[in-house]
Amino acid sequence: MFSFLKKILVFPFLIIASTSCSSSLNKKTKPNWSSTSDTIATTVYSKEELLKSETNFTLSSKTGADNYNAYLPLLKDKKIGVVTNQTGIITITDYNNKNAFAYKKTQIHLVDFLLEKKIQIQTIFSPEHGFRGTADAGELITDGKDSKTGLPIISLYGDNKKPKPSQLEGIDIMVFDIQDVGARFYTYISSLHYVMEACAENNIPLLILDRPNPNGSSIDGPILEPIYTSFVGMHPVPVLYGMTIGEYAQMINGEKWLKNSIQCNLTIIPCVYYNRNMFYHLPIKPSPNLPNDQSINLYASLCLFEGTNVSVGRGTEKQFQIYGSPYLPKSNFSFTPSPNQGAKNPVYNGIECFGEDLSSHSKLHELELKWLLKAYNSTEDKTKFFNPFFTKLAGTKTLQQQIEEGMSERKIRKSWKLGLETFKEIRKKYLIY
């Protein structure tokens, strides 16, 4: 576990570099979500606890960003652009020389870390929710300056989803470090697409610091049909695609999904001691309305409600862990949305909604449809249940038609089978782990 590992894998248009040293351990107490530069813990772990690390990412593994010895030499004396947000966290582990199982962990943001290492950052590019990750879903993000470092920030959301050539002038290499959650309509992979395209068109290499997909073992849902391509679905993949962001970038490149089939010069720094069946607890919430592991696991299934008249708990403290609406039958569970961080004007603001609390539901490994079907069947005026956004989220009109026709969940799932089998064969070519 504490041995030194060094591995170089070479693919067409891609270099995957990995170096690792001591295994990293995580504290057992709740992390401070608001901090990116505080010491986390000093703890002593037994050897028995360390043996459990094969199923727990946080006990033995490193993200690509944590694997900084692999990429700092590639950035030396270069002018770089950084595509990141609040999830670009590096965890530095210092071990007690007198006790191999005692350690101190420090979290620091990638931008601050690179500046400390005298790397020349020219520009920060931020996706939906902004650089600090506090903006509402869909909220317009403007360009500006980072209050801490003074670096210019360019928003990649709104009218400027793709970096312009003028915004890339003078940049020698781009670094991409954003935590994904493995759902097709989570827009960070759409930002990845446009960054890759801009880098390819402007002959700028792209360095991706890979991070685990917390839903990395799940592959499920309908395949997006090209006619329904949008920023919440840009590629012909299922809702749950079971790939890390580095693997997904390889697939974008290999399948030539960029404009004019252009390909990006990729270097991927992989995670170390990682397999996709490991439990992965995110060190910081990836967006304002995904506050914990449960919401991240339920997100892909409950997000389909965003294309209906049902709330997913925006404006509460259980976002994407509950669902309900004023149009569902009264029940023992209800909630009343009100403005909060990430939902300044939530759906059904101030109106009591009836539905279901899923905050204690067991972990999902597939796209769950039973709640969507239950809500539709329980809605009296079904003509008002769906809205046009549902087709964009589903990536097909078929799913809505199947639900309206009363098709069972088993038959709906059977209709996905061929598409999923085809996708899995494509996916195999691009897996790193």
Side-chain angles (χ1 to χ4, degrees):
M1 182 179 295
F2 293 94
S3 63
F4 184 83
L5 172 67
K6 189 170 185 180
K7 178 173 59 176
I8 303 291
L9 303 174
V10 181
F11 291 82
F13 301 97
L14 167 71
I15 299 176
I16 300 180
S18 171
T19 63
S20 83
C21 44
S22 300
S23 64
S24 62
L25 308 176
N26 226 0
K27 70 166 194 171
K28 291 182 176 180
T29 53
K30 185 178 180 180
N32 179 358
W33 292 109
S34 63
S35 174
T36 59
S37 59
D38 295 333
T39 297
I40 297 301
T42 300
T43 306
V44 175
Y45 273 86
S46 68
K47 292 183 180 180
E48 289 74 18
E49 287 174 302
L50 289 171
L51 291 175
K52 299 177 184 177
S53 64
E54 291 183 3
T55 59
N56 191 334
F57 179 89
T58 57
L59 286 180
S60 64
S61 309
K62 291 184 178 184
T63 67
D66 296 345
N67 194 11
Y68 46 82
N69 289 329
Y71 61 83
L72 284 176
L74 305 178
L75 304 179
K76 186 179 180 182
D77 300 325
K78 300 283 198 316
K79 292 181 180 180
I80 72 169
V82 180
V83 186
T84 192
N85 60 6
Q86 80 285 352
T87 66
I89 297 296
I90 293 175
T91 301
I92 299 173
T93 304
D94 295 320
Y95 290 92
N96 184 330
N97 291 332
K98 295 180 181 180
N99 187 334
F101 301 110
Y103 72 96
K104 180 175 70 176
K105 274 185 174 295
T106 304
Q107 287 186 337
I108 185 172
H109 194 277
L110 174 69
V111 168
D112 300 327
F113 176 78
L114 293 178
L115 291 175
E116 284 186 4
K117 298 299 181 181
K118 308 302 181 186
I119 301 299
Q120 302 175 60
I121 301 177
Q122 181 164 302
T123 308
I124 298 169
F125 297 86
S126 66
E128 184 179 7
H129 305 295
F131 177 50
R132 298 298 177 186
T134 57
D136 286 9
E139 182 179 345
L140 178 65
I141 306 294
T142 57
D143 297 343
K145 282 191 175 183
D146 178 37
S147 58
K148 182 176 181 179
T149 65
L151 289 168
I153 299 174
I154 293 175
S155 171
L156 296 182
Y157 193 69
D159 295 332
N160 185 48
K161 293 182 175 67
K162 178 179 171 180
K164 296 179 174 63
S166 60
Q167 296 167 337
L168 297 173
E169 285 183 5
I171 292 177
D172 298 316
I173 186 170
M174 286 280 276
V175 177
F176 188 103
D177 184 24
I178 296 176
Q179 176 66 59
D180 184 37
V181 301
R184 186 183 63 217
F185 28 65
Y186 203 60
T187 61
Y188 296 160
I189 56 172
S190 299
S191 294
L192 171 67
H193 174 108
Y194 282 125
V195 168
M196 289 178 64
E197 194 168 271
C199 286
E201 291 172 343
N202 292 275
N203 297 313
I204 296 173
L206 177 63
L207 178 74
I208 295 179
L209 308 183
D210 208 7
R211 290 183 178 271
N213 175 352
N215 294 304
S217 62
S218 302
I219 305 167
D220 203 14
I223 306 294
L224 180 136
E225 299 168 15
I227 192 174
Y228 300 115
T229 297
S230 71
F231 197 61
V232 293
M234 297 192 66
H235 310 116
V237 303
V239 173
L240 288 164
Y241 45 81
M243 305 174 80
T244 67
I245 200 133
E247 292 171 329
Y248 199 92
Q250 290 189 191
M251 186 166 61
I252 291 175
N253 233 16
E255 297 303 303
K256 298 186 178 180
W257 287 337
L258 302 179
K259 188 169 66 175
N260 299 322
S261 298
I262 196 170
Q263 290 180 295
C264 178
N265 180 357
L266 284 178
T267 302
I268 296 176
I269 306 300
C271 304
V272 178
Y273 297 127
Y274 168 65
N275 73 70
R276 67 188 71 256
N277 294 313
M278 285 179 168
F279 169 73
Y280 175 56
H281 170 70
L282 275 63
I284 192 167
K285 54 186 176 181
S287 53
N289 288 294
L290 292 182
N292 53 33
D293 296 326
Q294 183 74 347
S295 64
I296 291 167
N297 182 241
L298 292 170
Y299 171 74
S301 299
L302 295 190
C303 191
L304 290 171
F305 276 125
E306 303 265 62
T308 74
N309 64 2
V310 176
S311 165
V312 290
R314 293 183 189 271
T316 75
E317 297 305 312
K318 289 187 176 182
Q319 307 97 318
F320 289 97
Q321 300 156 83
I322 58 179
Y323 73 88
S325 88
Y327 307 109
L328 292 177
K330 290 187 177 181
S331 62
N332 293 331
F333 175 74
S334 68
F335 60 91
T336 303
S338 61
N340 65 0
Q341 184 185 38
K344 296 182 178 65
N345 186 26
V347 174
Y348 302 129
N349 186 6
I351 301 173
E352 187 175 19
C353 299
F354 296 93
E356 198 167 354
D357 184 352
L358 305 173
S359 58
S360 298
H361 196 278
S362 57
K363 185 175 181 179
L364 299 179
H365 296 280
E366 63 181 10
L367 186 68
E368 184 58 78
L369 292 179
K370 66 181 178 183
W371 303 307
L372 180 64
L373 295 174
K374 180 180 178 181
Y376 176 79
N377 291 327
S378 300
T379 298
E380 186 174 348
D381 188 353
K382 294 177 172 51
T383 63
K384 296 181 179 178
F385 185 79
F386 291 105
N387 64 53
F389 193 47
F390 186 84
T391 296
K392 285 188 176 182
L393 293 171
T396 174
K397 276 190 176 180
T398 303
L399 181 56
Q400 179 176 337
Q401 293 168 349
Q402 290 171 328
I403 295 171
E404 291 174 335
E405 292 168 2
M407 188 176 290
S408 68
E409 180 175 355
R410 183 183 63 81
K411 288 187 176 180
I412 293 174
R413 290 190 175 282
K414 187 175 180 180
S415 71
W416 300 343
K417 186 177 180 182
L418 180 59
L420 288 172
E421 288 176 351
T422 301
F423 170 75
K424 288 176 182 178
E425 287 301 311
I426 294 171
R427 171 181 171 273
K428 284 180 183 178
K429 298 184 287 184
Y430 306 110
L431 298 182
I432 300 171
Y433 313 99

